[in-house]
Amino acid sequence: MAAHSGTGGPVRGTADTALSGEAAAIASLSITAATTDERLLDQPWHLALKDWPAENLAALPRGLSRHVVRFAPLGAGVVAIKETGEEAARHEYQMLRKLQRLGVPCVEPVAVMTGRMRTDGSALQPVLVTRHLRFSLPYRALFSQTLRRETLTRLIDAQALLLVRLHLLGFYWGDVSLSNTLFRRDAGAFAAYLVDAETGELHPQLSDGQREHDLEIARVNIAGEMMDLVEGGLLEDKVDPVATSERIMDSYRKLWAELTAEESFDLGERWRVNARIRRLNDLGFDVEEFSIKSTADGTSIRLQPKVVDAGHHQRRLLRLTGLDVQENQARRLLNDLDAYRADHQSEQSEEVSAHSWVRHVFEPIVKAIPRELAGKLEPAEVVHEVLEHRWYVSEDQDRNVPLAEAVQSYVDSVLRHRRDEAAIMLNPDEQTAAALAAAETDEG
C-alpha cells in the first residue's frame, strides 16, 4: 500500500505540472484575429501541428504544401492551420484581408497566433489560421481513379481566370500553382480560389514583365504537378503534362487581350462599343468606363476598356434574388429565370418575377433534396444540375417533364452516386496514406 501511495504522489505531481504547463502555454499566446470566437483557444496550441491528436482534427483532403497544414473543427465550420514563420504568417494574413476587401476569390483569414510554446517552455512555430472553404477541393481530390484531360483543362482555365483577375487588381502572386488553389464546381466548370498568398505583393499596377513572370511560374509549376500525377498513375496516359501546362498561357493571354486590348474601328461602326461590352459581360466582367479617342484624321476611333470588374452575373442575380453563387452558376440560373418569365408571359417587373422564380423553382428544388444528401453539392450547383437533367430527360422522352419529376429522377439516378463535397472525410486507409504523404511533404 505504501509503495502504491508513493507511486501515486509523483503521478499526481506530474499531472499538475503538465496542467500548469498547458496554462502557461496558452498564456504565452499572442493572437491577431478577425474573429471573436473564443473556441480558438480550445485547440492544443502547446503541441506541434504534426503531433495533434485525431480528436482535434478534421480529416479533409489536403493539397501539397511545403508547410505542415492541418484542418480542425471550429464551431459549425472547419479551419485550416499552417505552421510558418511569424513574418510570413502576418504578411499572408494581411494580404488575404486586402484581397477579400477587393472581392478576390480567396480563403478567409481568421487569425495569426504567435508566442506558441510547449509545456516545457520550448518555442513552437507561429500559425496562420484560415477558414476552410466549404464545398471546395484541392485539385488532387477531383479525380476518382484518374484525372481526365477534360477536367484538367477546366481546372487550368479556372486558374487562368483567377490569375487575370488578380493581375487586373495589381496583385503579383509569385507562386502560382494548382496546389495553391482550391476549386469549387461552377455550373459544370470550376471556380478557382486563392489559398496561399505568402509570396503575394499588391501594387498599383503590374508591369508586363511581372505578369509574364507570374505566368511562367504557373506554367512550370503546373507542368511539374502534372508530371507528379503521371508518376502516381493518376492522370490519363494520353495527357502530355508540358503541352497541357501551356494551356494556361493561351487561356490567360486570350482573356487578358479581350479585357484590356485597344480596338480600332470606323466612325460608322460605333455599334461595336456595345458589342465589346456584351462580350465582356458574357465573360462575367462589368465595364465601368471606356477610353475612346478619335484618330488624327478623324476617320476612326480607338476603344479601350478602362475599368473592368468581375462578377457581372453574380451581381445581377444577387440584386434580383439575394442568391450569392458562383459566376457560371449565376449565368445558368439567370437564363432559367429569364425563361421562367417568358413562359409565364409576366408583365411584372424583373424583380417581382425573380422572387416568384425563387419561390416556385429554386426553393422547391433545394427543399426536395433529402437531408442525408444535402452535403453532396452546394445548393446552386444542385439547382443547375437539376435544370440540366430536366432538359436532357425532356429531350429524351420528347415531353416537358414536370419539375418535381425531374428532381426525383435526378436524386435517384445522379445525386445519390455523387460524393459529399461539403466535407469529404477520408476513410481509415486513406487517412493512413494521407498521414504518410503528409509526413513526407511536411519534411520538405
Side-chain angles (χ1 to χ4, degrees):
M1 189 62 131
H4 176 73
S5 176
T7 304
V11 171
R12 286 195 298 273
T14 301
D16 291 342
T17 301
L19 190 61
S20 62
E22 289 182 22
I26 291 294
S28 72
L29 286 175
S30 176
I31 305 173
T32 301
T35 177
T36 57
D37 196 331
E38 294 180 356
R39 287 170 296 190
L40 264 179
L41 295 175
D42 295 338
Q43 299 297 342
W45 298 114
H46 62 286
L47 298 176
L49 274 184
K50 64 183 179 62
D51 297 326
W52 277 27
E55 59 264 27
N56 290 97
L57 300 176
L60 296 176
R62 297 193 298 271
L64 298 179
S65 174
R66 57 181 171 269
H67 302 284
V68 180
V69 178
R70 296 291 184 266
F71 291 107
L74 181 67
V78 174
V79 292
I81 306 166
K82 177 173 74 173
E83 284 183 335
T84 184
E86 180 175 352
E87 185 177 347
R90 293 192 183 282
H91 171 79
E92 186 167 5
Y93 175 82
Q94 294 298 337
M95 191 58 63
L96 287 172
R97 295 201 72 184
K98 290 177 182 178
L99 292 176
Q100 275 208 313
R101 287 194 289 269
L102 291 170
V104 170
C106 64
V107 294
E108 176 188 347
V110 174
V112 172
M113 308 186 75
T114 61
R116 294 175 65 221
M117 66 178 191
R118 297 181 177 87
T119 54
D120 64 5
S122 59
L124 287 169
Q125 274 195 304
V127 296
L128 171 70
V129 184
T130 57
R131 201 170 303 281
H132 174 64
L133 185 63
R134 197 161 180 252
F135 293 105
S136 67
L137 296 167
Y139 79 100
R140 282 174 165 263
L142 287 166
F143 55 80
S144 51
Q145 292 182 337
T146 58
L147 189 66
R148 295 184 300 115
R149 180 168 55 186
E150 292 77 10
T151 303
L152 187 56
T153 296
R154 293 200 297 271
L155 292 180
I156 292 175
D157 285 345
Q159 181 90 62
L161 175 58
L162 175 61
L163 193 55
V164 165
R165 291 186 65 174
L166 292 168
H167 286 178
L168 286 169
L169 293 170
F171 181 79
Y172 171 78
W173 196 340
D175 195 14
V176 190
S177 70
L178 296 177
S179 296
N180 285 341
T181 311
L182 285 175
F183 297 91
R184 295 175 76 175
R185 296 189 189 277
D186 185 11
F190 290 102
Y193 283 71
L194 180 146
V195 177
D196 193 323
E198 187 174 320
T199 57
E201 301 171 2
L202 200 55
H203 302 272
Q205 185 176 345
L206 294 185
S207 67
D208 290 343
Q210 287 172 310
R211 292 192 302 104
E212 287 296 322
H213 190 244
D214 235 5
L215 201 54
E216 178 63 15
I217 290 172
R219 186 188 68 80
V220 172
N221 284 346
I222 291 173
E225 289 166 331
M226 296 305 99
M227 291 175 185
D228 182 52
L229 290 177
V230 169
E231 286 293 319
L234 301 174
L235 201 59
E236 285 184 325
D237 293 337
K238 60 185 178 181
V239 175
D240 181 337
V242 175
T244 303
S245 72
E246 296 285 349
R247 181 180 175 86
I248 193 170
M249 314 284 279
D250 297 335
S251 184
Y252 174 95
R253 289 198 174 108
K254 287 176 183 175
L255 184 55
W256 184 266
E258 186 63 62
L259 294 172
T260 64
E262 187 177 276
E263 183 179 6
S264 297
F265 49 88
D266 294 338
L267 288 173
E269 297 179 305
R270 281 172 289 187
W271 56 270
R272 289 174 62 176
V273 174
N274 287 329
R276 180 79 178 271
I277 292 175
R278 285 196 300 272
R279 290 204 308 274
L280 294 173
N281 289 166
D282 287 342
L283 289 170
F285 290 83
D286 277 334
V287 181
E288 297 180 5
E289 184 180 347
F290 270 101
S291 174
I292 301 178
K293 300 177 182 178
S294 298
T295 54
D297 58 8
T299 60
S300 64
I301 59 177
R302 294 195 305 272
L303 166 71
Q304 185 172 24
K306 198 67 171 168
V307 179
V308 186
D309 194 19
H312 171 77
H313 300 96
Q314 285 176 306
R315 283 189 292 276
R316 183 186 168 211
L317 186 70
L318 185 63
R319 173 176 58 82
L320 290 173
T321 68
L323 298 173
D324 189 5
V325 304
Q326 306 293 329
E327 177 66 16
N328 287 329
Q329 291 169 347
R331 186 203 313 263
R332 178 64 183 87
L333 298 183
L334 284 168
N335 287 342
D336 194 73
L337 191 161
D338 291 338
Y340 175 87
R341 191 179 188 202
D343 288 344
H344 290 76
Q345 299 180 342
S346 176
E347 296 182 358
Q348 297 174 320
S349 69
E350 188 179 41
E351 287 79 6
V352 172
S353 293
H355 285 288
S356 176
W357 174 84
V358 170
R359 288 197 308 273
H360 295 102
V361 178
F362 188 92
E363 289 180 349
I365 292 175
V366 174
K367 291 176 181 177
I369 303 302
R371 180 173 296 180
E372 69 272 16
L373 303 180
K376 294 279 187 175
L377 295 170
E378 59 181 325
E381 190 68 16
V382 167
V383 173
H384 154 70
E385 291 199 354
V386 166
L387 296 175
E388 291 289 296
H389 183 76
R390 184 188 188 190
W391 185 87
Y392 283 116
V393 172
S394 297
E395 185 180 57
D396 183 61
Q397 299 182 10
D398 195 25
R399 67 185 179 95
N400 186 27
V401 174
L403 182 61
E405 181 182 337
V407 172
Q408 191 60 52
S409 171
Y410 168 78
V411 168
D412 293 338
S413 63
V414 179
L415 189 61
R416 289 191 186 278
H417 308 288
R418 298 291 292 268
R419 58 184 177 177
D420 187 334
E421 292 190 0
I424 298 180
M425 303 304 290
L426 304 179
N427 64 40
D429 290 341
E430 288 175 323
Q431 287 189 41
T432 301
L436 291 173
E440 294 172 1
T441 303
D442 293 343
E443 290 302 317

